[in-house]
Amino acid sequence: MLCGLALAMACGCAPGGGDEGRAPGAPSGVTARAGSATSVHVMWNAVLADPPVDGYEVYRGTAKVGDVSGSAHMLDVVRLAPATSYVFTVRARDGAGRLGPPSRRVRATTPAAAPADTSAPTRPGAVTGRAVGSRAVQLSWSASTDDREVVSYDIQQGGTRIHSVGGGQTATVVTGLRPGTAYVFTVRARDAADHLSPAGPAVRVTTAPGADEGTGTAPTGFRATTRRAADGAYYIDLSWVAPRVDGVVTEYGIQLDGATVTSLVWGGTPPRGRAAYGFYVGREQGVTHRVRLRARLPDGTWGAYSAERTVTTGT
């Protein structure tokens, strides 16, 4: 049973796309997280469409609160009230002005304000970074401290804020970068009163040349087994852990015997931790198959393949 999943056989079509004259699809992987007592960081996965997406509109309830370009998939919604719950949705817009349907609704609650808080958090320390193939960088840092609480960390690229993560997180993977390119990243901590720490030490990372996706963008802990159903048919059961990247992975491509056969899309909220999926491979016993899978990253590109597993029906 494919609970919460949409399954499509590979056909060369772009998920979330549309034919000429059709509006883009709804953004997937939408998340919202408080950045301070008065701001929320909203992220979503890039929508692949034909014609291409020209921009995204972010809504708080029914009110539009921001526009970003088609190459972006995040927005900081500011001037919010402390200790208040908000609901956000995102819609994609193409060059002809056609709006796609709204994403699923996501909720975020801002923390209470700290009126007596006049101190900024300490600067993050021990900032390190390494290239994860040609299009991603893994960053980590030591936690900041604050007289109240660190609510979030801002990730800055060349002085521009490109992402925000929760105050309990001290590592992330930034995707959507260019091959063979040098980048400079810094990290700053933010508290509920919106005080920013000084920037941590700058870390310089150069992505690999070419089209090396990097193992850091691959699903981990990949397992594959076979089983025989009550009707005599054989299935391959897969399980894996999503790659740790900025945003939510909602789609996977499954490769069987060297060919991509299935696109697996979560229609609802992807499972936390280990995910699982099974698919039909025939009725013949003793057939050996090779299987692996890869994730479509939040920036719309494909990550690296998992390790390949070999299974034989009936064993």
Side-chain angles (χ1 to χ4, degrees):
M1 180 177 180
L2 302 180
C3 182
L5 296 176
L7 178 66
M9 297 306 292
C11 61
C13 301
D19 299 327
E20 187 68 33
R22 289 183 57 191
S28 64
V30 182
T31 60
R33 177 174 292 172
S36 70
T38 58
S39 66
V40 168
H41 183 71
V42 182
M43 284 189 70
W44 57 91
N45 292 356
V47 173
L48 304 182
D50 185 14
V53 168
D54 184 67
Y56 295 95
E57 299 183 359
V58 179
Y59 292 81
R60 185 190 69 227
T62 58
K64 186 169 76 169
V65 291
D67 276 288
V68 298
S69 69
S71 61
H73 50 97
M74 56 163 275
L75 177 72
D76 289 303
V77 182
V78 297
R79 294 189 291 276
L80 302 177
T84 304
S85 181
Y86 294 95
V87 174
F88 299 91
T89 53
V90 183
R91 301 179 73 177
R93 183 186 63 246
D94 67 17
R98 287 182 290 257
L99 272 175
S103 68
R104 71 179 184 91
R105 293 155 52 94
V106 295
R107 187 178 297 274
T109 300
T110 53
D117 186 358
T118 59
S119 301
T122 61
R123 69 194 306 234
V127 183
T128 62
R130 67 179 183 89
V132 182
S134 62
R135 294 184 286 102
V137 164
Q138 183 179 57
L139 302 174
S140 63
W141 57 91
S142 60
S144 299
T145 58
D146 186 64
D147 57 345
R148 294 290 191 274
E149 180 187 14
V150 174
V151 175
S152 61
Y153 290 96
D154 291 352
I155 314 301
Q156 296 184 326
Q157 176 189 317
T160 300
R161 184 181 180 188
I162 60 168
H163 187 37
S164 178
V165 301
Q169 188 171 332
T170 56
T172 192
V173 175
V174 179
T175 59
L177 305 178
R178 296 188 300 274
T181 303
Y183 292 92
V184 177
F185 298 95
T186 53
V187 181
R188 301 180 73 180
R190 186 183 297 268
D191 64 16
D194 225 11
H195 296 133
L196 269 177
S197 76
V203 59
R204 291 167 172 80
V205 185
T206 299
T207 53
D212 173 20
E213 296 91 349
T215 57
T217 61
T220 58
F222 181 54
R223 303 171 187 166
T225 58
T226 63
R227 62 180 168 88
R228 190 180 186 188
D231 63 357
Y234 289 100
Y235 289 76
I236 294 180
D237 290 330
L238 311 177
S239 70
W240 66 92
V241 176
R244 189 174 178 182
V245 295
D246 283 349
V248 180
V249 175
T250 59
E251 180 183 355
Y252 293 88
I254 299 175
Q255 189 181 78
L256 183 69
D257 300 329
T260 300
V261 295
T262 299
S263 178
L264 179 64
V265 181
W266 259 270
T269 302
R272 294 180 178 271
R274 182 165 288 275
Y277 173 67
F279 62 99
Y280 169 85
V281 289
R283 294 181 170 272
E284 188 176 351
Q285 183 179 356
V287 178
T288 298
H289 294 286
R290 296 174 292 109
V291 62
R292 60 180 184 169
L293 82 164
R294 61 179 176 172
R296 189 181 291 278
L297 305 178
D299 62 11
T301 61
W302 286 106
Y305 276 106
S306 68
E308 186 174 77
R309 305 300 182 198
T310 300
V311 294
T312 302
T313 55
T315 62

